[in-house]
Amino acid sequence: MRVVIAGGHGKIALLLERLLAERGDQAVGLIRNPAQVADVEGAGAEAVVCDLEAASADDVTMLLSGADAVVFAAGAGPGSGVPRKDSVDRAASVLMADAAERAGVRRFVQVSSMGAGQPPRPGGGEVWAAYITAKTAAEDDLRARDLDWTILRPGGLTDAPAAGVVRLAAPPVPAGTVPRADVAAVIAALLDGPGTRHQTLELVGGDTPVAAAVRSVS
Ligand SMILES: NC(=O)c1ccc[n+]([C@@H]2O[C@H](COP(=O)([O-])OP(=O)(O)OC[C@H]3O[C@@H](n4cnc5c(N)ncnc54)[C@H](OP(=O)(O)O)[C@@H]3O)[C@@H](O)[C@H]2O)c1
């Protein structure tokens, strides 16, 4: 399977690239900074330089030619302000989804966030509000498309080693944290089968092995 990952140098993306390479899938990481090529290749993926805040739908459509699935794992990141929440967390996802439709790549896994789909919590600040607003808009855009989408909303991300066990279910799941390594494993399992298409799933640490957790919602 050829999987194009938006935000190919992200922490989840690099973990996912390793997992896909280990099982014989072909991962392609889209990055905006050429200095990251070696890391992406080191994770076993092909690196393609493509700034998703500058690329056109035509550019990305070309890059998706021959792909079997798209994973949107980009994000403006913790140091960013309001404008980039919109230009990355919303607009780059919309761009990828547009290009997926045009290129005929039906499978699309979007990394969203717990908290999306509801009004931002009061007192969270304007950047948090912009982030949740952007994630919610990106989800709404994807749901309206003729794609085999799955929206994955992790809780707070940690860099702990993979636990191998999670709680994965339709919202609402009580707030919690989850290692990025387990998020990557869940995405790899979601890509394996189309059984979760058209579902929005929340993910935190839990006690169900990843494969069983994905089977239980498929
Ligand atoms: N932090 C949390 O607790 C939390 C919770 C739930 C969900 N999430 C979401 O989970 C997702 C992945 O998390 P993560 O920790 O793996 O994120 P991350 O390490 O911050 O990775 C995000 C990646 O997106 C890339 N990116 C930003 N702008 C781009 C552009 N214009 N073109 C191409 N790539 C671009 C970044 O590249 P650069 O190095 O060039 O900036 C970075 O590699 C994000 O969408 C995040 O919002 C986070």
Side-chain angles (χ1 to χ4, degrees):
M1 179 188 282
R2 183 171 168 90
V3 182
V4 177
I5 304 170
H9 192 265
K11 290 181 176 175
I12 291 175
L14 287 167
L15 293 160
L16 176 62
E17 286 156 8
R18 280 192 193 285
L19 293 178
L20 293 174
E22 275 164 22
R23 73 178 193 194
D25 286 328
Q26 200 183 0
V28 181
L30 303 188
I31 53 175
R32 61 178 174 152
N33 179 355
Q36 297 170 341
V37 167
D39 288 346
V40 172
E41 290 180 349
E46 186 184 320
V48 173
V49 178
C50 174
D51 182 343
L52 297 172
E53 290 162 280
S56 69
D58 282 346
D59 296 335
V60 183
T61 302
M62 244 158 26
L63 296 179
L64 294 188
S65 166
D68 301 293
V70 172
V71 175
F72 183 81
S80 59
V82 170
R84 292 198 66 239
K85 300 303 180 192
D86 186 68
S87 61
V88 183
D89 291 275
R90 183 198 61 79
S93 177
V94 169
L95 176 69
M96 292 302 299
D98 246 350
E101 274 187 344
R102 290 190 193 197
V105 182
R106 294 200 56 84
R107 190 75 178 111
F108 194 115
V109 176
Q110 181 190 64
V111 181
S112 181
S113 174
M114 279 176 80
Q118 301 164 54
R121 63 168 186 269
E126 65 163 2
V127 175
W128 173 257
Y131 173 66
I132 289 301
T133 301
K135 288 294 196 200
T136 299
E139 288 190 358
D140 289 344
D141 170 81
L142 189 56
R143 282 191 200 96
R145 291 182 186 272
D146 181 23
L147 290 172
D148 294 338
W149 52 264
T150 301
I151 294 168
L152 181 64
R153 293 178 180 163
L157 300 173
T158 75
D159 291 323
V165 283
V166 296
R167 178 170 181 181
L168 176 71
V173 167
T177 61
V178 60
R180 287 179 171 87
D182 288 320
V183 179
V186 167
I187 296 169
L190 292 172
L191 289 170
D192 252 352
T196 59
R197 78 187 185 117
H198 300 167
Q199 290 198 54
T200 300
L201 299 167
E202 295 190 336
L203 175 68
V204 294
D207 52 19
T208 308
V210 166
V214 170
R215 262 199 314 275
S216 74
V217 292
S218 297

Coordinates of all heavy atoms in Angstrom, one line a residue, residues 101-164:
E101 N -9.7 13.6 -3.6 CA -10.8 13.4 -4.5 C -10.4 13.4 -5.9 O -10.8 12.6 -6.7 CB -11.9 14.5 -4.2 CG -12.8 14.1 -3.1 CD -13.9 15.1 -2.9 OE1 -13.9 16.2 -3.5 OE2 -14.9 14.8 -2.2
R102 N -9.7 14.4 -6.3 CA -9.3 14.6 -7.7 C -8.4 13.4 -8.2 O -8.5 13.0 -9.3 CB -8.4 15.9 -7.9 CG -9.2 17.2 -7.7 CD -8.3 18.2 -8.1 NE -8.7 19.5 -7.8 CZ -8.1 20.6 -8.4 NH1 -7.2 20.5 -9.3 NH2 -8.5 21.8 -8.0
A103 N -7.5 12.9 -7.3 CA -6.6 11.9 -7.7 C -7.3 10.5 -7.6 O -6.7 9.5 -7.9 CB -5.4 11.9 -6.8
G104 N -8.5 10.5 -7.0 CA -9.2 9.2 -6.9 C -8.6 8.3 -5.8 O -8.7 7.1 -5.8
V105 N -8.0 8.9 -4.8 CA -7.5 8.2 -3.6 C -8.6 8.2 -2.5 O -8.8 9.3 -1.9 CB -6.2 8.8 -3.1 CG1 -5.7 8.0 -1.9 CG2 -5.2 8.9 -4.2
R106 N -9.3 7.1 -2.3 CA -10.5 7.2 -1.5 C -10.2 7.2 0.0 O -10.9 7.7 0.8 CB -11.5 6.0 -1.9 CG -12.0 6.1 -3.3 CD -13.3 5.3 -3.4 NE -14.3 5.6 -2.5 CZ -15.2 6.6 -2.6 NH1 -15.2 7.4 -3.7 NH2 -16.0 6.9 -1.6
R107 N -9.2 6.4 0.4 CA -9.0 6.2 1.8 C -8.3 7.4 2.4 O -7.2 7.8 1.9 CB -8.2 4.9 2.1 CG -8.1 4.5 3.5 CD -9.4 3.9 4.0 NE -9.3 3.5 5.4 CZ -10.0 4.1 6.4 NH1 -10.8 5.1 6.2 NH2 -9.8 3.6 7.6
F108 N -8.8 8.0 3.5 CA -8.3 9.3 4.1 C -8.4 9.2 5.6 O -9.6 9.2 6.1 CB -9.0 10.5 3.5 CG -8.4 11.8 3.7 CD1 -7.9 12.5 2.6 CD2 -8.2 12.3 5.0 CE1 -7.3 13.8 2.8 CE2 -7.6 13.6 5.2 CZ -7.1 14.3 4.1
V109 N -7.3 9.2 6.3 CA -7.4 9.2 7.7 C -6.9 10.6 8.2 O -5.8 11.0 7.8 CB -6.5 8.1 8.3 CG1 -6.5 8.2 9.9 CG2 -7.0 6.7 7.9
Q110 N -7.7 11.2 8.9 CA -7.4 12.6 9.4 C -7.1 12.5 10.9 O -7.9 12.1 11.7 CB -8.6 13.5 9.1 CG -8.3 15.0 9.6 CD -9.6 15.8 9.5 OE1 -10.6 15.5 10.3 NE2 -9.7 16.7 8.6
V111 N -5.9 13.0 11.3 CA -5.6 13.2 12.7 C -6.2 14.5 13.1 O -5.7 15.6 12.7 CB -4.1 13.1 13.0 CG1 -3.9 13.3 14.5 CG2 -3.5 11.9 12.4
S112 N -7.3 14.4 13.9 CA -7.9 15.6 14.5 C -7.5 15.8 15.9 O -6.3 15.5 16.3 CB -9.4 15.5 14.3 OG -10.0 16.7 14.7
S113 N -8.4 16.1 16.8 CA -8.1 16.3 18.2 C -9.3 16.1 19.1 O -10.4 16.6 18.6 CB -7.4 17.6 18.5 OG -7.2 17.8 19.9
M114 N -9.2 15.5 20.2 CA -10.3 15.6 21.1 C -10.6 17.0 21.5 O -9.7 17.8 21.5 CB -10.0 14.7 22.4 CG -10.3 13.3 22.2 SD -9.8 12.2 23.6 CE -11.3 12.4 24.6
G115 N -11.8 17.4 21.6 CA -12.2 18.8 21.8 C -12.8 19.3 20.5 O -13.7 20.2 20.5
A116 N -12.4 18.8 19.3 CA -13.0 19.2 18.1 C -14.5 18.7 18.0 O -14.9 17.8 18.7 CB -12.3 18.6 16.9
G117 N -15.3 19.5 17.3 CA -16.7 19.1 17.2 C -17.6 19.8 18.2 O -18.8 19.6 18.2
Q118 N -16.9 20.5 19.1 CA -17.6 21.3 20.1 C -17.1 22.7 20.2 O -15.9 22.9 19.8 CB -17.4 20.7 21.5 CG -17.8 19.2 21.7 CD -17.2 18.6 22.9 OE1 -17.3 19.2 24.0 NE2 -16.4 17.6 22.8
P119 N -17.8 23.6 20.8 CA -17.3 24.9 20.9 C -16.0 24.9 21.8 O -16.0 24.1 22.7 CB -18.4 25.7 21.6 CG -19.6 24.9 21.5 CD -19.2 23.5 21.3
P120 N -15.0 25.7 21.5 CA -13.8 25.7 22.3 C -14.2 26.0 23.8 O -15.0 26.8 24.0 CB -12.9 26.8 21.7 CG -13.6 27.2 20.5 CD -15.0 26.7 20.4
R121 N -13.5 25.3 24.7 CA -13.8 25.6 26.1 C -13.5 27.0 26.5 O -12.5 27.6 26.1 CB -13.1 24.6 27.1 CG -11.6 24.7 27.1 CD -10.9 24.0 28.2 NE -9.5 24.4 28.1 CZ -8.6 23.7 27.4 NH1 -8.9 22.6 26.8 NH2 -7.3 24.1 27.4
P122 N -14.4 27.6 27.3 CA -14.2 29.0 27.7 C -12.9 29.2 28.5 O -12.6 28.3 29.3 CB -15.4 29.4 28.5 CG -16.4 28.2 28.4 CD -15.6 27.0 27.9
G123 N -12.2 30.2 28.3 CA -11.0 30.5 29.1 C -9.8 29.8 28.5 O -8.7 29.9 29.1
G124 N -9.9 29.1 27.4 CA -8.8 28.4 26.8 C -7.8 29.3 26.1 O -6.7 28.8 25.7
G125 N -8.2 30.5 25.8 CA -7.4 31.4 25.1 C -7.7 31.4 23.6 O -8.3 30.5 23.0
E126 N -7.2 32.5 22.9 CA -7.6 32.6 21.5 C -6.9 31.6 20.6 O -7.5 31.2 19.5 CB -7.4 34.1 21.0 CG -6.0 34.5 20.9 CD -5.7 35.7 20.1 OE1 -6.7 36.3 19.5 OE2 -4.5 36.1 19.9
V127 N -5.7 31.2 20.9 CA -5.0 30.2 20.1 C -5.7 28.9 20.2 O -5.9 28.2 19.2 CB -3.5 30.2 20.4 CG1 -2.8 29.1 19.6 CG2 -2.8 31.5 20.2
W128 N -6.0 28.5 21.4 CA -6.7 27.2 21.6 C -8.1 27.3 20.8 O -8.4 26.3 20.1 CB -7.0 26.9 23.1 CG -7.9 25.7 23.3 CD1 -9.2 25.7 23.6 CD2 -7.5 24.3 23.1 NE1 -9.7 24.4 23.7 CE2 -8.7 23.6 23.4 CE3 -6.3 23.7 22.8 CZ2 -8.6 22.2 23.3 CZ3 -6.3 22.3 22.7 CH2 -7.5 21.6 23.0
A129 N -8.8 28.4 20.9 CA -10.1 28.5 20.2 C -9.9 28.4 18.7 O -10.6 27.7 18.0 CB -10.7 29.8 20.6
A130 N -8.8 29.0 18.2 CA -8.6 28.9 16.8 C -8.2 27.5 16.3 O -8.6 27.0 15.3 CB -7.4 29.9 16.4
Y131 N -7.5 26.8 17.2 CA -7.1 25.4 16.9 C -8.3 24.5 16.8 O -8.5 23.8 15.9 CB -6.1 25.0 18.0 CG -5.7 23.5 18.0 CD1 -5.0 23.0 17.0 CD2 -6.1 22.7 19.0 CE1 -4.6 21.7 17.0 CE2 -5.7 21.3 19.0 CZ -5.0 20.8 18.0 OH -4.6 19.5 18.0
I132 N -9.2 24.6 17.8 CA -10.4 23.8 17.9 C -11.3 24.1 16.7 O -11.9 23.3 16.1 CB -11.1 23.9 19.3 CG1 -10.2 23.2 20.3 CG2 -12.5 23.3 19.2 CD1 -9.9 21.7 20.1
T133 N -11.4 25.4 16.4 CA -12.3 25.9 15.3 C -11.7 25.3 14.0 O -12.5 24.8 13.2 CB -12.3 27.4 15.3 OG1 -12.8 27.9 16.5 CG2 -13.2 27.9 14.2
A134 N -10.4 25.3 13.8 CA -9.8 24.8 12.6 C -10.0 23.3 12.5 O -10.3 22.8 11.4 CB -8.3 25.2 12.6
K135 N -9.8 22.6 13.6 CA -9.9 21.1 13.5 C -11.4 20.8 13.2 O -11.6 19.8 12.5 CB -9.5 20.5 14.9 CG -8.0 20.5 15.1 CD -7.2 19.6 14.1 CE -5.8 19.3 14.5 NZ -5.0 18.8 13.4
T136 N -12.3 21.5 13.9 CA -13.7 21.2 13.6 C -14.1 21.5 12.1 O -14.8 20.7 11.5 CB -14.6 22.1 14.5 OG1 -14.3 21.8 15.9 CG2 -16.1 21.9 14.3
A137 N -13.6 22.6 11.6 CA -13.9 22.9 10.2 C -13.2 21.9 9.3 O -13.9 21.5 8.3 CB -13.3 24.3 9.9
A138 N -12.0 21.4 9.6 CA -11.4 20.4 8.8 C -12.2 19.1 8.8 O -12.4 18.4 7.8 CB -10.0 20.1 9.2
E139 N -12.7 18.7 10.0 CA -13.5 17.5 10.1 C -14.8 17.7 9.3 O -15.2 16.8 8.5 CB -13.9 17.3 11.6 CG -12.8 16.8 12.5 CD -13.4 16.4 13.8 OE1 -14.6 16.5 14.0 OE2 -12.6 15.9 14.7
D140 N -15.5 18.8 9.4 CA -16.7 19.0 8.7 C -16.5 19.0 7.2 O -17.3 18.4 6.4 CB -17.3 20.4 9.1 CG -17.9 20.4 10.5 OD1 -18.1 19.3 11.1 OD2 -18.1 21.5 11.0
D141 N -15.4 19.5 6.7 CA -15.1 19.5 5.3 C -14.9 18.0 4.8 O -15.5 17.6 3.8 CB -13.8 20.3 5.0 CG -13.3 20.0 3.6 OD1 -13.8 20.7 2.7 OD2 -12.4 19.2 3.4
L142 N -14.2 17.2 5.6 CA -13.9 15.9 5.2 C -15.2 15.0 5.2 O -15.4 14.2 4.3 CB -12.9 15.3 6.2 CG -12.3 13.9 5.8 CD1 -11.7 13.9 4.4 CD2 -11.3 13.5 6.8
R143 N -16.1 15.2 6.2 CA -17.3 14.5 6.3 C -18.2 14.7 5.1 O -19.0 13.9 4.7 CB -18.1 14.8 7.5 CG -17.6 14.2 8.8 CD -18.5 14.4 9.9 NE -17.8 14.2 11.2 CZ -17.3 15.1 11.9 NH1 -17.5 16.4 11.5 NH2 -16.6 14.8 13.0
A144 N -18.1 15.9 4.5 CA -19.0 16.2 3.3 C -18.5 15.6 2.0 O -19.1 15.8 1.0 CB -19.1 17.8 3.2
R145 N -17.3 15.0 2.1 CA -16.7 14.5 0.8 C -17.0 13.1 0.5 O -17.3 12.3 1.4 CB -15.2 14.7 0.9 CG -14.8 16.1 0.9 CD -13.3 16.2 0.9 NE -12.9 17.6 1.0 CZ -12.7 18.5 0.0 NH1 -12.9 18.1 -1.2 NH2 -12.4 19.7 0.3
D146 N -17.0 12.7 -0.8 CA -17.2 11.4 -1.2 C -15.8 10.6 -1.1 O -15.2 10.3 -2.1 CB -17.7 11.4 -2.6 CG -17.9 9.9 -3.1 OD1 -18.1 9.0 -2.3 OD2 -17.9 9.7 -4.4
L147 N -15.4 10.4 0.1 CA -14.1 9.7 0.4 C -14.4 8.7 1.5 O -15.3 8.8 2.2 CB -13.0 10.7 0.9 CG -12.5 11.7 -0.2 CD1 -11.6 12.7 0.5 CD2 -11.7 11.0 -1.3
D148 N -13.5 7.7 1.6 CA -13.6 6.7 2.6 C -12.8 7.2 3.8 O -11.7 6.7 4.1 CB -13.1 5.3 2.2 CG -13.9 4.7 1.1 OD1 -15.1 5.1 1.0 OD2 -13.4 3.9 0.3
W149 N -13.3 8.2 4.5 CA -12.6 8.9 5.5 C -12.8 8.3 6.9 O -13.9 7.7 7.2 CB -13.0 10.4 5.6 CG -14.5 10.6 5.7 CD1 -15.3 10.9 4.6 CD2 -15.3 10.6 6.9 NE1 -16.6 11.1 5.1 CE2 -16.6 10.9 6.5 CE3 -15.0 10.4 8.2 CZ2 -17.7 11.0 7.4 CZ3 -16.1 10.5 9.1 CH2 -17.4 10.8 8.7
T150 N -11.8 8.4 7.7 CA -11.9 8.1 9.2 C -11.3 9.3 9.9 O -10.2 9.7 9.5 CB -11.2 6.8 9.6 OG1 -11.7 5.7 8.8 CG2 -11.4 6.5 11.0
I151 N -12.0 9.9 10.8 CA -11.5 11.0 11.6 C -11.0 10.4 13.0 O -11.8 9.8 13.7 CB -12.5 12.1 11.8 CG1 -12.8 12.7 10.5 CG2 -12.0 13.1 12.8 CD1 -14.1 13.6 10.4
L152 N -9.8 10.6 13.3 CA -9.2 10.1 14.6 C -8.9 11.3 15.5 O -8.1 12.1 15.1 CB -7.9 9.3 14.3 CG -7.3 8.7 15.5 CD1 -8.2 7.6 16.1 CD2 -5.9 8.0 15.1
R153 N -9.5 11.3 16.6 CA -9.3 12.4 17.6 C -8.5 11.9 18.8 O -9.1 11.4 19.7 CB -10.6 13.0 18.1 CG -11.5 13.7 17.1 CD -12.8 14.1 17.8 NE -13.7 14.8 16.9 CZ -15.0 14.9 17.2 NH1 -15.5 14.4 18.4 NH2 -15.7 15.6 16.4
P154 N -7.2 12.0 18.8 CA -6.4 11.6 20.0 C -6.7 12.6 21.1 O -6.9 13.8 20.9 CB -5.0 11.6 19.5 CG -5.0 12.0 18.1 CD -6.3 12.5 17.8
G155 N -6.4 12.1 22.4 CA -6.4 13.0 23.5 C -5.0 13.6 23.6 O -4.3 13.7 22.6
G156 N -4.6 14.1 24.7 CA -3.3 14.7 24.9 C -2.1 13.8 24.5 O -2.1 12.6 25.0
L157 N -1.3 14.2 23.6 CA -0.2 13.3 23.1 C 1.0 13.3 24.1 O 1.4 14.4 24.6 CB 0.2 13.8 21.7 CG -0.9 13.8 20.7 CD1 -0.4 14.4 19.4 CD2 -1.4 12.4 20.4
T158 N 1.6 12.2 24.2 CA 2.8 12.0 25.0 C 3.9 11.3 24.2 O 3.6 10.7 23.2 CB 2.6 11.2 26.3 OG1 2.6 9.8 26.0 CG2 1.4 11.7 27.1
D159 N 5.1 11.4 24.6 CA 6.2 10.8 23.9 C 6.6 9.5 24.6 O 7.7 8.9 24.4 CB 7.4 11.7 23.8 CG 7.1 12.8 22.8 OD1 6.5 12.6 21.8 OD2 7.6 14.0 23.1
A160 N 5.7 9.0 25.5 CA 6.0 7.7 26.2 C 6.1 6.6 25.1 O 5.5 6.7 24.0 CB 4.9 7.4 27.1
P161 N 6.8 5.5 25.5 CA 6.8 4.4 24.6 C 5.4 3.8 24.3 O 4.5 4.0 25.2 CB 7.7 3.3 25.3 CG 8.2 4.0 26.5 CD 7.5 5.3 26.7
A162 N 5.3 3.1 23.2 CA 4.0 2.5 22.9 C 3.5 1.6 24.1 O 4.3 0.8 24.6 CB 4.1 1.6 21.7
A163 N 2.3 1.7 24.5 CA 1.7 0.8 25.5 C 1.1 -0.4 24.8 O 1.0 -1.5 25.4 CB 0.7 1.6 26.3
G164 N 0.7 -0.2 23.6 CA 0.1 -1.3 22.8 C -1.4 -1.5 23.2 O -2.0 -2.3 22.5

